[in-house]
Amino acid sequence: MAGLRGARGCRAGGGGRIPAGPEKGNPRFGNAGPLPRLRDFVQLPAAAGRHAARRYLASRTIWRGIRLVVTGSPWRCAGVQFLWFLATLLTLGLARPWGVAAEARWALGRLHLGTQPFIFTGRPRQILRPFLASYILALLSVGLVAVVLVLLWRTEAFDVARGMAAADGSVPAPEAFAIAIAIAMLSLVGLGMILLVMPLLLLAWFSFAAAAMRWRWENLAFGGARLALADVTGWSVARLQLGNLFLSAISFGLLHPVVVRRRVEFLARRLWADRYPDVSPARQAVLGQLNAEGLSNILDAGGAGIGL
């Protein structure tokens, strides 16, 4: 929640931007797409660590002298994410909105300013329409590839390819000229499919990612104020995520601090509140296990390691 300190831009009843501030912390609470990501599967064993890291970052984010707190067991969070990941796979992606909602409830619904909670009211059905639009677009893209492959299967180019692959002599070996023509044809078709299908898949992915990001913050309230994100579109999310991916790739992860800063700035420039939140009920929370202090708290273990 970087950017909450000194929210002078919030006008009572008139709305205003929550400007960036010097607090520490990373306001990124996960991305969303119409289908599960391979990274989701690879990172599932580390889901407990990610939730513990959210608690740790929150405990070091201060607004008006009060620390943020994220509650909840990291291991239970990991279990919930794993179950929804399996459900998404078994339903061929159709359970994705419910998985996104479960992730948001853990990331935002368990956030407190000291003793005062943030209220998250998001429901999966609210993002079902943009999800179905992205899902249908992704299916059409994959279906287009399948149709092209079926049509190519009936062409001479595939006959030449099968002849090249036959090692038992059952199919006459094709001539060199026929091989060159087949390779050129298959290469052009493959390149054309990439240029046509990839933009459609990216459009499906980032359009839902933007809708889910807006949905998260529009359903978050604190101190009587409703939050919202302005100017978040599929194109802006694509620039953010693809830019971060490029920076991470060319630096082999060394530019991760720059990636984190880009995420923070993206939210800080777009985060709004309809009024100045009332933080008078907030009191400083007791630091300790809920703030992931030390390895024993990350593991939810006692001093002797009991309770893993």
Side-chain angles (χ1 to χ4, degrees):
M1 291 301 296
L4 287 180
R5 176 182 294 173
R8 292 181 294 272
C10 297
R11 300 186 299 273
R17 186 183 300 273
I18 299 180
E23 287 80 356
K24 300 177 182 178
N26 182 1
R28 176 176 177 260
F29 294 102
N31 296 320
L35 297 175
R37 301 162 295 180
L38 176 62
R39 191 183 72 175
D40 291 335
F41 178 76
V42 174
Q43 289 185 349
L44 277 174
R50 291 204 307 273
H51 187 69
R54 280 197 292 261
R55 300 195 310 182
Y56 181 85
L57 290 171
S59 69
R60 277 150 180 79
T61 302
I62 299 175
W63 183 28
R64 308 187 79 178
I66 301 178
R67 292 178 182 271
L68 291 178
V69 175
V70 174
T71 63
S73 165
W75 298 109
R76 184 173 297 178
C77 176
V80 170
Q81 291 190 22
F82 181 71
L83 290 177
W84 278 115
F85 177 77
L86 290 181
T88 303
L89 289 181
L90 294 176
T91 59
L92 301 179
L94 292 176
R96 182 62 176 167
W98 286 264
V100 171
E103 180 184 359
R105 283 194 296 269
W106 274 92
L108 297 175
R110 295 176 178 269
L111 183 63
H112 298 69
L113 177 64
T115 58
Q116 185 176 1
F118 285 71
I119 307 300
F120 181 74
T121 58
R123 296 292 182 268
R125 64 176 180 270
Q126 295 171 320
I127 52 173
L128 192 57
R129 180 177 297 180
F131 166 78
L132 290 177
S134 299
Y135 190 85
I136 292 173
L137 182 58
L139 286 182
L140 291 177
S141 303
V142 175
L144 179 61
V145 173
V147 170
V148 171
L149 289 177
V150 170
L151 294 177
L152 280 178
W153 185 259
R154 301 174 178 271
T155 63
E156 185 178 352
F158 256 93
D159 293 336
V160 173
R162 286 192 291 270
M164 294 172 58
D168 55 358
S170 59
V171 179
E175 299 180 354
F177 180 75
I179 293 176
I181 294 297
I183 292 177
M185 179 179 177
L186 293 177
S187 300
L188 288 175
V189 172
L191 179 61
M193 290 304 300
I194 292 175
L195 295 178
L196 177 62
V197 173
M198 284 303 297
L200 294 178
L201 290 176
L202 291 175
L203 176 62
W205 175 269
F206 290 117
S207 61
F208 178 67
M213 186 179 294
R214 294 191 302 268
W215 164 81
R216 284 191 184 99
W217 293 97
E218 289 170 357
N219 286 280
L220 187 66
F222 176 71
R226 304 292 304 186
L227 302 181
L229 284 179
D231 302 325
V232 174
T233 63
W235 172 242
S236 63
V237 174
R239 286 185 298 170
L240 172 68
Q241 296 187 6
L242 293 178
N244 289 345
L245 179 63
F246 176 76
L247 291 175
S248 299
I250 64 173
S251 67
F252 298 98
L254 295 177
L255 293 179
H256 183 69
V258 178
V259 171
V260 172
R261 180 180 178 85
R262 281 168 51 86
R263 293 170 183 160
V264 173
E265 290 178 343
F266 182 86
L267 287 181
R269 290 196 302 264
R270 294 168 171 82
L271 189 59
W272 287 74
D274 62 353
R275 61 177 56 86
Y276 199 98
D278 178 18
V279 298
S280 58
R283 298 293 182 268
Q284 191 71 269
V286 178
L287 294 179
Q289 189 175 21
L290 292 181
N291 296 293
E293 294 288 342
L295 181 62
S296 64
N297 293 300
I298 293 179
L299 299 176
D300 278 350
I306 301 174
L308 291 176

